[in-house]
Amino acid sequence: MKRSWATLGQLSGGMYVPQDFERAAYRLVTEQVLYAADRRSRNAYHLVETYLADFSAALEPLGIRLERNAHYRYVVALPSHGEGLPVTLEETLLVLVLRQRYDFAMRQGQVEDQGEVLVELPELQEAWQQMTGRPMPDTGSLRTLLRALRRWSLCREVDSEPDDPQPFRILVRPAIVEIAGPQWLQRLDQHNTDDDDDADEPAPRATEDEDDVPA
């Protein structure tokens, strides 16, 4: 049974107050992952780690389950149901390509101390084309996609050296293993289904101006 935040504050001997627990729970829901290695989430991670069972009980009624990776020291909040914020096809493809690069680096032992994997842009471009059969988005569009993915704490940009021809690298974070699971393949299937439905619809009739445009 979940203990109240006030009770936990008392058990902590005054180290924490109820608002500390509320803020940590809110961050779990909104940011999805708390990493001990991140300065801005370090305190919240330690609080959740210490009272993991209580946070799990508090978030369970919201359809959210918690998983803790003790090796790389992060806690991830996972929705029990597949519904969530709308995700574009390009975002879905980027997540799946980054997950493939992460798994490949894990097999090769190319993982950094905190479980992160550095992906070069030429490497990403090659994997994107092989996996999707389409060209990778340009640099500006890719940056926009990466900003969107940051809301799931999946990756972040790393600035390149001044003499490096690529403008940045991508650091893929370990929680991608939990977050980019089967539901992302379901999202891709849904996109494919939507595309098929659009293809079945009759093409709009051309206007007189369009009839005059050469093919």
Side-chain angles (χ1 to χ4, degrees):
M1 181 176 178
K2 182 182 75 72
R3 296 174 290 184
S4 70
W5 300 142
T7 299
L8 295 180
Q10 293 173 357
L11 292 175
S12 73
M15 182 178 298
Y16 301 109
V17 297
Q19 289 78 8
D20 295 324
F21 294 93
E22 292 172 356
R23 283 191 289 265
Y26 181 77
R27 290 189 60 180
L28 268 174
V29 172
T30 56
E31 299 178 24
Q32 194 159 7
V33 185
L34 297 176
Y35 290 99
D38 291 356
R39 184 177 60 181
R40 64 182 300 271
S41 64
R42 187 176 303 153
N43 292 337
Y45 168 83
H46 289 304
L47 181 59
V48 175
E49 180 185 44
T50 303
Y51 300 97
L52 184 62
D54 295 283
F55 278 95
S56 296
L59 296 181
E60 184 179 7
L62 302 178
I64 296 174
R65 60 185 176 85
L66 301 185
E67 289 191 11
R68 171 177 170 263
N69 186 303
H71 182 68
Y72 292 127
R73 304 200 67 197
Y74 63 84
V75 177
V76 56
L78 297 169
S80 300
H81 309 288
E83 298 83 358
L85 293 174
V87 181
T88 68
L89 175 59
E90 294 294 321
E91 291 170 352
T92 302
L93 293 177
L94 180 55
V95 169
L96 294 176
V97 173
L98 290 178
R99 172 65 195 270
Q100 187 269 346
R101 299 318 302 162
Y102 189 89
D103 291 345
F104 177 81
M106 287 286 288
R107 291 193 299 270
Q108 299 296 317
Q110 300 171 348
V111 180
E112 308 208 0
D113 291 342
Q114 303 298 331
E116 298 172 325
V117 167
L118 195 63
V119 176
E120 309 281 347
L121 293 188
E123 172 190 352
L124 180 70
Q125 182 176 25
E126 181 180 359
W128 186 291
Q129 292 174 335
Q130 289 178 349
M131 292 182 65
T132 70
R134 61 178 68 192
M136 186 176 75
D138 59 41
T139 301
S141 299
L142 182 60
R143 285 186 185 274
T144 300
L145 290 171
L146 289 170
R147 284 196 294 270
L149 265 59
R150 287 188 65 179
R151 68 177 182 263
W152 300 302
S153 301
L154 295 179
C155 58
R156 60 185 176 87
E157 296 178 29
V158 178
D159 292 334
S160 298
E161 298 296 329
D163 58 346
D164 195 323
Q166 59 180 328
F168 60 91
R169 294 173 170 82
I170 301 173
L171 197 66
V172 186
R173 315 210 68 185
I176 195 171
V177 173
E178 286 86 6
I179 296 174
Q183 74 273 17
W184 285 96
L185 294 176
Q186 294 172 5
R187 292 177 190 270
L188 184 58
D189 287 339
Q190 183 59 51
H191 283 299
N192 292 335
T193 301
D194 293 342
D195 290 343
D196 291 341
D197 291 342
D198 292 340
D200 292 337
E201 294 178 0
R205 216 178 145 155
T207 64
E208 292 181 2
D209 291 340
E210 289 172 332
D211 287 341
D212 294 334
V213 177

